[in-house]
Amino acid sequence: MSFLKLTVAYDGTGYAGWQIQPASPTIQGALAQAWLRITGEEPNFSASGRTDAGVHAEAQIVGVETQSTLSPWRLRKGLNAVLPEDIVVRLVEPAPTGFHATYDALRKTYRYQLHDGPAPPLFDRRYVWWWRAGRLDDLQMGQGGERFVGRHDFVSLQSLGSDRSTTVRTISNLSVTRTGDRLDITVTGDGFLYNMVRTIAGTLVEVGRGSKPPEWIAEVLAARDRSAAGPTAPAEGLVLASVEYQTA
Amino acid sequence: MSFLKLTVAYDGTGYAGWQIQPASPTIQGALAQAWLRITGEEPNFSASGRTDAGVHAEAQIVGVETQSTLSPWRLRKGLNAVLPEDIVVRLVEPAPTGFHATYDALRKTYRYQLHDGPAPPLFDRRYVWWWRAGRLDDLQMGQGGERFVGRHDFVSLQSLGSDRSTTVRTISNLSVTRTGDRLDITVTGDGFLYNMVRTIAGTLVEVGRGSKPPEWIAEVLAARDRSAAGPTAPAEGLVLASVEYQTA
């Protein structure tokens, strides 16, 4: 048996999220089917996180234990040959014994992508939230975003119905950058509550549109109440950008 | 009557090119239909150039003479509301009397986009030529590309069956840049022969894969023979990036 680490990119538009489901197309389901075709094995995948329906990934990390003797290079080539064009295995690498993509993850980086021009987005239209109500103030959003950085109770930013035992997380970095009509909110943290990045995005949009000042973010966190924050931004703008592990 | 200048972006994947045709979907056809719906007029569009089937545009320039009294802002909003999502009117601006997008163009910039990684392209998969045969040497390609810059007879780089009266053109800039697995060839010139940018790309790939040295480009030009150049690169990697006019 050997352990492998897969780096998987996907356009989540056509999928009901990462996690396998009986009646809906999922990334895990498509990847498991491809794996079975190439190796003959039913895989037991671990993933760095379960992305929701419509959410994209540049580098979802997937762990798998296998008896296959195919080289990483052959495996990648074979998987990509049978996967649909909206899922790509970017890398296959040997992983340490016992590697588990969920538990071993140290930090994850998500990017929330907005388009705030008056004309619709084009080439990135499947990967952005088109904000139609005028230019967002990205400087104000950046100032608001800084207040999320640090170790906080993020219970105000999680969707109801979540069952995580603790709602304290550490955000090590948050930046807001603009290129033309495109605005990216990039967030790195040691873990994220359910819908947390999308709620951070929706909350920063409240600041960007001028309905709240940057200082309001401190109130949102202090309230420890979901209704204190802004709305949950739509899934289509969210991309899992990278995951850090202690070991390669 | 007033003259307007439209800046139009499109994903050309689903179209038989710019120019209207009776039985195939075209960009001009879709735009004319939208224009009729919004203004009630049959438009007489001029365009900076006829992009071929499958070719994309970030900023195709379209001229039109109109009696419509709708403001540029209203026109853009109305057109985008009825256009399919793969065509976007980025700007509508007043143009000088007599403005003609074809004849008044001074310089055009095209970008040819390649992906040369071992794993397939994902987010830009509709907009690149995936070169599967290994890493291309972008430094060699840049050195070869410099030899295209200047005033030359580009007859070796035009597809057969073309009927332009002169095949002399001036390329003012050509650069090759890499970001990861993505390689962009950006070419600015005062005019381009039929398939010229795609043939330049296909010819530079011969250099990038190591089958020809950069100096070979001078021979290609000197031969004045299409068979001296490399193959025509596929349409999907080509993007009309911008067009310059003397007047705004």
Side-chain angles (χ1 to χ4, degrees), chain A residues 39-190:
Chain A
T39 68
E41 294 176 336
E42 296 274 358
N44 195 353
F45 291 136
S46 60
S48 75
R50 298 173 186 176
T51 55
D52 278 326
V55 172
H56 318 288
E58 280 174 358
Q60 166 75 290
I61 301 298
V62 177
V64 66
E65 203 181 341
T66 181
Q67 295 195 301
S68 169
T69 54
L70 291 170
S71 72
W73 186 87
R74 274 269 157 218
L75 272 172
R76 176 172 71 179
K77 192 165 171 149
L79 291 168
N80 285 326
V82 299
L83 279 167
E85 65 162 21
D86 48 11
I87 304 178
V88 168
V89 176
R90 294 221 153 127
L91 272 178
V92 177
E93 299 166 284
T97 302
F99 176 71
H100 194 286
T102 322
Y103 306 136
D104 296 351
L106 293 179
R107 268 179 299 277
K108 278 190 275 192
T109 298
Y110 284 93
R111 194 169 57 244
Y112 195 89
Q113 307 183 155
L114 286 138
H115 172 97
D116 65 352
L122 183 74
F123 296 106
D124 54 359
R125 63 191 182 277
R126 294 162 73 94
Y127 316 116
V128 295
W129 177 24
W130 182 23
W131 176 258
R132 296 159 195 244
R135 203 66 148 182
L136 294 165
D137 187 330
D138 45 295
L139 295 178
Q140 293 282 97
M141 290 170 76
Q143 283 176 27
E146 283 172 20
R147 288 163 169 86
F148 284 123
V149 176
R151 187 171 164 82
H152 301 287
D153 183 345
F154 283 97
V155 68
S156 297
L157 284 304
Q158 94 178 325
S159 283
L160 300 174
S162 185
D163 61 352
R164 303 278 167 49
S165 56
T166 166
T167 50
V168 174
R169 295 289 184 277
T170 300
I171 289 188
S172 48
N173 202 61
L174 193 153
S175 65
V176 178
T177 52
R178 175 185 291 286
T179 314
D181 291 341
R182 169 74 176 269
L183 213 139
D184 289 344
I185 303 170
T186 308
V187 197
T188 303
D190 62 352

